[in-house]
Amino acid sequence: MTSQHLADAVCPSPRRSDRAQPSDWWRDAVIYQVYPRSFADSDGDGTGDLPGVRSRLPYLRALGVDAVWLSPFYASPQADGGYDVADYRAVDPAFGTLADADDLVREAHALGLRVIVDVVPNHCSDQHEWFRRALREGPGSATRQRFHFRPGKGADGQLPPNDWESIFGGPAWTRVTEPDGSPGEWYLHLFAPQQPDFNWEHPAVREEFRSILRFWLDLGVDGFRVDVAHGLVKAPGLPDVGHTEQVKLLGNQVLPFFDQDGVHEIYRDWRRILDGYPGERIAVAEAWTPTVRRSALYLRPDELHQAFNFAYLTAGWDAEELRRVIEDSLAAMGAVGAPATWVLSNHDVVRHTTRLAMGDPARGLRRARAATLLMLALPGSAYLYQGEELGLPEVTELPDEVRQDPAFFRGSGQDGTRDGCRVPIPWSGSAPPYGFGPLPGGPSWLPQPESWAKLSVEAQTGDPGSTLEFYRSALAVRARHPALGAGDGVSWLDAPGGVLAFRRDSDQGGLVCTVNLTGRPVSMPVPGQLLLASADVRAAGGRVALPDDTAAWWGV
């Protein structure tokens, strides 16, 4: 039995997003991440922009997502892909204008899509007016107190104030030259030197971000993805960590610069602002924490609404590990009344089509499709990263001269491979830029592989075996099936070792999800009526042969 085009026949009820004013829309939303620079280029300069995103909103609506999350498009020198913000209330000219942002939000709302934008509160650009003033005004100035300026250690202050390391490699401190030309203080930057950290103990910083949130809420956005939500507050006295290779500790232990308890007061303040606006505005935390239980602390009823589930994203293709992460996630989020979230890829990690089977593209795609059905069957909200619906692999052979990830140019930090998941996506045609821009043969800021012609939206549309049509079918079933979407638990079923099987129920019917992670085909009793599968599934005599690296949904 084929896996495609079963959605409409099985589940004819209306889409969730078409129902009248759903309550808590974010509890079961499918949210699609757009990295604007790589999504659609409207003017042919090789860089994606907001008018380009706006032109593709009907595609996203037809795909079946509920909301769009936009990575930063603010005024920025682009030292870190826009996460170095020079002006939080301005659109970078490379991406358009503030009017373009307003038009995009209005068009999305007209199509029934909500819009979430990034907010970057841990750090700004070294071109931000506050930081430029801090450099001009010198030591002891009021503006320097909005950042973490400290005298250095050693007889002449030539050593960094502590042993903290940048996530991008090297020390997390840079020494400045003072207005009189002398070597001066050091400033903290947990990421690139062009990204000085704010001092969130300073009231001016807190008030500025209250104003920034209100600015974009007034424009009509439906919420914020909070970049480095775990990083705003630093431990008193900025104590040493005590050893090197600190980036390896991320998500494994509480560090003096991450996941400090003081962040929660900030988010309680933000929640009051969000709740003051109509339409259920939300905030989503990017919070790397040692456990999902610590992530759940960000989601108490008076704090943020969701947090990315990095424990799930980093889990291996292993039945026991996945079940453990799923159970821990549902328990931790349920304890604070928050929905779990599920995500497989984003703009910072190797695409899961490649990551799940390094060196074996065919197996990687099979696993990616199966992982998608598993994720979309779990209770809560799901996040998709642009291009995963096309089955795009990581681009692993970019020439060094085109790379722009700052971690690529610094030692001992992240791997510097984030450019590979940010290559512009293919829309149409047989040669680069594959409809990314309006000009045949036009530029794209990162080169696209020649093999991507067969992965374009145009090439996959209407092909019942394509990954794009598979995603469309999966999202249609999820939107219509009463047992899918919001919820707080699953009922695990007996299954052969290496197979995940669980059931979800509603008053209108149930659904069973089965996933074979054994490395071989598995024969098992047919759980119900086949709704959708990630590969061809054959059933006869009351039993089904579930292929390796395959997931299936069954109506019961």
Side-chain angles (χ1 to χ4, degrees), residues 317 363 366-367 495-499 515-524 544-550:
W317 190 245
R363 179 178 290 272
R366 289 200 306 273
R367 289 181 174 178
V499 174
V515 191
N516 181 5
L517 303 94
T518 64
R520 62 185 184 281
V522 170
S523 177
M524 55 189 300
V544 58
L546 193 64
D548 180 30
D549 298 327
T550 297

Side-chain angles (χ1 to χ4, degrees), residues 148-154 157-167 170-175 185-190 197 233-244 246 255-258 260:
H148 294 279
F149 279 88
R150 295 289 188 277
K153 293 182 177 179
Q158 74 276 20
L159 300 175
N162 66 20
D163 68 356
W164 294 2
E165 296 173 349
S166 165
I167 305 305
W173 297 89
T174 290
R175 197 175 193 185
E185 294 183 317
W186 298 71
Y187 69 89
L188 177 67
H189 54 85
L190 291 178
D197 279 44
V233 172
K234 279 65 175 176
L238 310 185
D240 286 342
V241 173
H243 52 80
T244 58
Q246 294 162 18
L255 296 165
F257 48 79
F258 278 161
Q260 296 293 304

Side-chain angles (χ1 to χ4, degrees), residues 397-421:
E397 298 182 354
L398 288 170
D400 289 356
E401 60 268 21
V402 306
R403 291 184 178 273
Q404 300 191 32
D405 182 355
F408 180 76
F409 303 100
R410 293 170 63 88
S412 72
Q414 291 181 329
D415 294 332
T417 57
R418 296 182 299 168
D419 291 321
C421 65

Side-chain angles (χ1 to χ4, degrees), residues 120-199:
V120 187
N122 180 71
H123 49 262
C124 62
S125 166
D126 61 357
Q127 299 304 303
H128 191 285
E129 179 55 28
W130 280 9
F131 191 74
R132 295 170 68 183
R133 281 175 50 195
L135 294 181
R136 291 195 305 267
E137 294 172 1
S141 68
T143 310
R144 283 206 178 184
Q145 295 174 22
R146 300 174 185 181
F147 301 92
H148 294 279
F149 279 88
R150 295 289 188 277
K153 293 182 177 179
D156 299 313
Q158 74 276 20
L159 300 175
N162 66 20
D163 68 356
W164 294 2
E165 296 173 349
S166 165
I167 305 305
F168 290 163
W173 297 89
T174 290
R175 197 175 193 185
V176 305
T177 300
E178 300 298 355
D180 64 2
S182 65
E185 294 183 317
W186 298 71
Y187 69 89
L188 177 67
H189 54 85
L190 291 178
F191 294 87
Q194 299 91 337
Q195 296 169 287
D197 279 44
F198 285 115
N199 174 16

Side-chain angles (χ1 to χ4, degrees), residues 360-434:
D360 190 338
R363 179 178 290 272
L365 181 58
R366 289 200 306 273
R367 289 181 174 178
R369 288 166 61 111
T372 296
L373 276 198
L374 170 59
M375 175 180 75
L376 293 176
L378 294 169
S381 183
Y383 283 78
L384 310 180
Y385 178 54
Q386 65 178 40
E388 72 173 76
E389 77 277 14
L390 305 177
L392 296 185
E394 184 80 0
V395 180
T396 58
E397 298 182 354
L398 288 170
D400 289 356
E401 60 268 21
V402 306
R403 291 184 178 273
Q404 300 191 32
D405 182 355
F408 180 76
F409 303 100
R410 293 170 63 88
S412 72
Q414 291 181 329
D415 294 332
T417 57
R418 296 182 299 168
D419 291 321
C421 65
R422 299 177 179 182
V423 174
I425 66 174
W427 292 94
S428 61
S430 58
Y434 304 114

Side-chain angles (χ1 to χ4, degrees), residues 31-36 39 50 53 57 60 68-74 83 101 104-105 115-119 221 225:
I31 301 172
Y32 185 101
Q33 181 188 359
V34 167
Y35 191 74
F39 193 64
L50 296 185
V53 176
L57 290 175
L60 297 179
V68 179
W69 154 32
L70 298 169
S71 292
F73 50 80
Y74 311 113
Y83 285 91
L104 191 159
V105 172
V115 178
I116 295 169
V117 299
D118 253 293
V119 64
V221 304
R225 177 264 192 183

Side-chain angles (χ1 to χ4, degrees), residues 39-106:
F39 193 64
D41 169 20
S42 71
D43 57 12
D45 66 356
T47 297
D49 47 44
L50 296 185
V53 176
R54 182 186 175 196
S55 73
R56 299 296 188 177
L57 290 175
Y59 163 80
L60 297 179
R61 168 62 178 175
L63 181 63
V65 302
D66 302 299
V68 179
W69 154 32
L70 298 169
S71 292
F73 50 80
Y74 311 113
S76 167
Q78 300 294 320
D80 182 25
Y83 285 91
D84 50 317
V85 180
D87 187 341
Y88 289 84
R89 298 176 183 83
V91 173
D92 194 279
F95 297 124
T97 66
L98 194 59
D100 291 326
D102 185 68
D103 289 343
L104 191 159
V105 172
R106 292 175 184 274

